[in-house]
Amino acid sequence: MTATAPREEQLWSRCAGCASLLYRKRLRRNLDVCPECGEHARLGAPERLRQLVDPGSLRPLADGLPEADPIDFVDVLPYPHRLTAARASTGLVEAVVCATATIGGHPVAMAVMDFRFLGGSLGCAVGELITRTAERALDERIPLVLVTASGGARMQEGVLSLMQMATVSQAIAALREAGLLTVSVLTDPTYGGVAASFATNTDLVLAESGARMGFAGPRVIRQVTGRALPEGFQTADFLLRHGQVDMVVQRRSLRGRLVALLAATRAGAPTRPSVPRQEPASHRERLAADDAAVARSPATPEADGTPAVRDAWDTVRMARHPGRPTTLDYLDSVFDGFVELHGDRLGADCPAIVGGVARLAGRYVMVIGHQKGHTTAELVARNFGMASPAGHRKALRLMRLAARLGLPVVTLVDTPGADPGVSAEEHGQAAAIAENILALTVLPTPVLAVITGEGGSGGALALAVADRVLMLENAVYSVISPEGCAAILWPDRSAAPQAARALRLSAPDLRRLGVVDEVVPEPPAAAHDDPAETALRLRAALLANLLPLLDVPPAMLVRLRRQRFRRFGATRAGQRAGVR
Ligand SMILES: [Zn+2]
């Protein structure tokens, strides 16, 4: 240790956001986030790792690689000189630091890019190191976490740097096939070849607050288009709005978010393919307690007596009551630890569909549901629970992710129908719904659907091709709205009450038809009068129906699910007498 007095600029630094002069130690304590304006300063890879992983858990992977200057590149300086300078100024061997570690006790393989090293550019060595990290994750059957910071491919290595996009992507595909979670954390800036490969082709994409991500940089786009760019272009919030990232996370919450996601997916993923699921003892005890709770609960129509007969039109009005609990209400009351995942990755994030991982009595599930609202403003913001094609594609993405990670899917259906707008048609509403129905028929994980409010036509079915279909007592499920039916088959819409009766859309009728497997009784007079009791009953019903499905092998589940939906063609006529 030398006793040299630190110079002024080492003690203080100026915020790039608000120009405040900040005491360096205070800034570092605040994770290099400006306490005045919230600006997230860029972090080098070692500091980033220090912030994210459990102390003492970091095991760096070997970074020894042969010297690479594959095309003898020279600009004003020979490429090797630039490499030497980057090594000297950063203390790193390359623009990525790779390691295994634990985060909140969950083992992971990590590759963290460092923008200080030649702009975090993706060259052959960086590609090789990240690929090796992914292979390590595959060998150890642990998740892969990537933290990206890059201007793009390393032009000094020519087209060979471009090939790294494919090399790393293949390694990520192998993890996908093995059902191992891949997560990327976008930090500022992430552009070009990195953005167009492993930064965005992972299962989950988190954007740190203030991160910008895009394929082409803003300067290039301005030059090409000759136009000013919209406010906030390519920022994390822009990406969230356009369906490109699952969430935007403040730096101080990043570690906690990763812990929650790792916990959720680790619980579901089988440790080896074709080996039976092993439950930790504490988990079994919890499940046993739940079983006992289920046995005591009045969540079956038989235990509760015959539900009171209500006119079908009254039921329609109950199902649409603005006070009726919504999907987000149930996520709060029935489930724990919901972590919402956003976006279809194709351009939008539909607010009418919410989804993400959550716990049901300690077991992780993927929950996907339509979201309405209680006030006019909420309803408008959520498009009255009418999903756009982007909403259906978000749901599809989450269903497939759940299947890969071995998580059961629980859907909560509450929609008047799919969005009937022009834009929805332009973006392929029909095909989007069709794709979901098809995907659900073959999804190799348990699927449990609950019609909680309105089950409106194809928009509802897009979330309701399930192993078990439950329905709240005052929910409705129908091929068309009573008003729509009345307008077509009666003189006018005022015949909606008659149409409602004719459509057989109530839970008891649908139970008799075999469309619904179980009716979940609501407290008197309806769910909105006692949301807490409704939540208890729904929770008990979910557990009673989900737990038996968990023991069924995926191939058998799919076979039984297809049989379940095949039988409607043959038995409907025979069941009709029972309804009348
Ligand atoms: Zn600031």
Side-chain angles (χ1 to χ4, degrees):
M1 273 281 156
T2 58
T4 320
R7 291 180 305 162
E8 281 293 289
E9 59 264 41
Q10 290 171 316
L11 280 172
W12 298 89
S13 69
R14 196 172 288 284
C15 170
C18 66
S20 296
L21 204 54
L22 301 164
Y23 190 47
R24 270 233 45 91
K25 277 188 183 165
R26 181 176 172 226
L27 188 59
R28 182 69 12 140
R29 271 201 306 275
N30 205 40
L31 308 178
D32 281 75
V33 175
C34 173
E36 304 298 326
C37 74
E39 168 87 8
H40 285 51
R42 287 177 188 166
L43 293 181
E47 177 60 19
R48 174 71 68 180
L49 282 163
R50 201 186 64 73
Q51 289 186 9
L52 290 181
V53 309
D54 299 337
S57 73
L58 194 74
R59 301 283 176 274
L61 301 183
D63 52 11
L65 288 170
E67 277 304 314
D69 180 12
I71 57 170
D72 293 323
F73 190 90
V74 178
D75 52 308
V76 292
L77 272 182
Y79 175 40
H81 290 207
R82 291 196 185 277
L83 274 177
T84 305
R87 285 177 183 147
S89 67
T90 60
L92 302 178
V93 175
E94 256 298 347
V96 67
V97 176
C98 302
T100 60
T102 61
I103 301 179
H106 304 289
V108 293
M110 291 185 81
V112 178
M113 303 186 80
D114 196 313
F115 193 75
R116 298 171 303 165
F117 195 107
L118 297 179
S121 54
L122 172 63
C124 295
V126 172
E128 174 67 22
L129 291 169
I130 298 176
T131 300
R132 285 186 195 171
T133 310
E135 288 168 352
R136 179 68 171 264
L138 187 63
D139 285 347
E140 298 195 10
R141 299 200 59 80
I142 55 178
L144 175 70
V145 175
L146 304 173
V147 181
T148 61
S150 175
R154 188 172 294 178
M155 56 197 140
Q156 292 92 342
E157 297 185 18
V159 76
L160 290 172
S161 67
L162 196 66
M163 296 302 111
Q164 302 309 312
M165 293 167 66
T167 307
V168 179
S169 294
Q170 277 183 37
I172 288 186
L175 290 169
R176 203 176 255 224
E177 283 163 15
L180 293 166
L181 180 73
T182 56
V183 184
S184 79
V185 177
L186 307 179
T187 74
D188 193 55
T190 296
Y191 276 94
V194 170
S197 61
F198 53 86
T200 54
N201 63 17
T202 47
D203 292 322
L204 300 175
V205 182
L206 281 56
E208 186 176 59
S209 281
R212 288 163 306 154
M213 187 277 282
F215 182 56
R219 198 174 54 191
V220 170
I221 297 175
R222 257 195 309 269
Q223 279 168 2
V224 171
T225 63
R227 297 228 298 263
L229 298 173
E231 179 75 20
F233 187 63
Q234 294 180 330
T235 59
D237 294 316
F238 171 96
L239 298 170
L240 183 69
R241 251 192 339 272
H242 289 92
Q244 307 298 304
V245 299
D246 283 292
M247 61 188 82
V248 179
V249 190
Q250 300 263 327
R251 186 170 291 164
R252 66 166 180 276
S253 308
L254 196 50
R255 183 182 140 85
R257 274 294 144 129
L258 285 172
V259 171
L261 292 168
L262 291 166
T265 49
R266 193 188 184 196
T271 47
R272 287 269 186 274
S274 79
V275 169
R277 199 185 301 269
Q278 290 293 318
E279 296 294 337
S282 63
H283 203 71
R284 275 189 187 285
E285 288 158 21
R286 267 205 302 269
L287 291 179
D290 288 330
D291 287 341
V294 168
R296 285 193 306 272
S297 88
T300 55
E302 293 75 20
D304 211 23
T306 311
V309 177
R310 176 173 270 150
D311 179 68
W313 182 243
D314 288 339
T315 308
V316 170
R317 289 161 59 197
M318 289 290 179
R320 295 174 179 171
H321 194 285
R324 199 168 173 84
T326 67
T327 292
L328 285 176
D329 293 329
Y330 289 127
L331 277 161
D332 194 46
S333 58
V334 173
F335 300 87
D336 304 301
F338 176 54
V339 179
E340 186 168 2
L341 304 174
H342 289 273
D344 68 350
R345 296 285 190 278
L346 296 170
D349 182 43
C350 174
I353 296 262
V354 296
V357 290
R359 288 192 307 278
L360 177 65
R363 172 174 288 277
Y364 285 97
V365 293
M366 183 72 78
V367 185
I368 305 167
H370 300 97
Q371 177 62 25
K372 287 187 175 174
H374 300 299
T375 66
T376 305
E378 285 171 1
L379 284 163
V380 168
R382 298 287 182 176
N383 197 27
F384 301 87
M386 297 188 293
S388 64
H392 292 122
R393 287 174 183 135
K394 169 164 69 176
L396 179 66
R397 182 173 78 83
L398 299 183
M399 292 169 196
R400 287 186 170 148
L401 177 60
R404 275 210 299 284
L405 300 172
L407 297 175
V409 173
V410 176
T411 64
L412 303 177
V413 176
D414 186 14
T415 180
D419 183 351
V422 172
S423 161
E425 294 302 316
E426 287 170 350
H427 290 91
Q429 182 69 284
I433 292 170
E435 185 65 24
N436 282 25
I437 293 169
L438 186 77
L440 278 171
T441 62
V442 296
L443 200 73
T445 194
V447 183
L448 180 55
V450 189
I451 318 293
T452 60
E454 281 185 281
S457 71
L461 188 65
L463 290 189
V465 180
D467 301 306
R468 299 278 293 169
V469 179
L470 314 186
M471 190 163 171
L472 288 185
E473 183 185 341
N474 292 306
V476 293
Y477 190 12
S478 176
V479 67
I480 186 171
S481 72
E483 291 89 341
C485 181
I488 295 168
L489 297 180
W490 272 265
D492 58 69
R493 295 167 72 90
S494 67
Q498 288 142 272
R501 280 166 223 136
L503 281 167
R504 303 286 178 200
L505 44 62
S506 72
D509 279 351
L510 295 170
R511 172 72 189 84
R512 279 194 287 275
L513 284 170
V515 170
V516 164
D517 299 297
E518 184 176 317
V519 179
V520 184
E522 296 182 22
H528 60 266
D529 292 315
D530 193 346
E533 175 61 23
T534 306
L536 284 176
R537 294 180 182 202
L538 177 57
R539 185 174 185 275
L542 285 173
L543 285 168
N545 283 277
L546 185 62
L547 297 179
L549 294 175
L550 300 177
D551 297 325
V552 183
M556 173 81 83
L557 272 178
V558 169
R559 197 158 61 242
L560 293 173
R561 194 182 306 145
R562 293 170 86 161
Q563 281 170 13
R564 184 187 184 284
F565 284 85
R566 173 71 184 82
R567 71 170 192 248
F568 292 121
T571 62
R572 196 179 48 203
Q575 295 281 338
R576 196 168 284 151
V579 172
R580 281 193 175 135

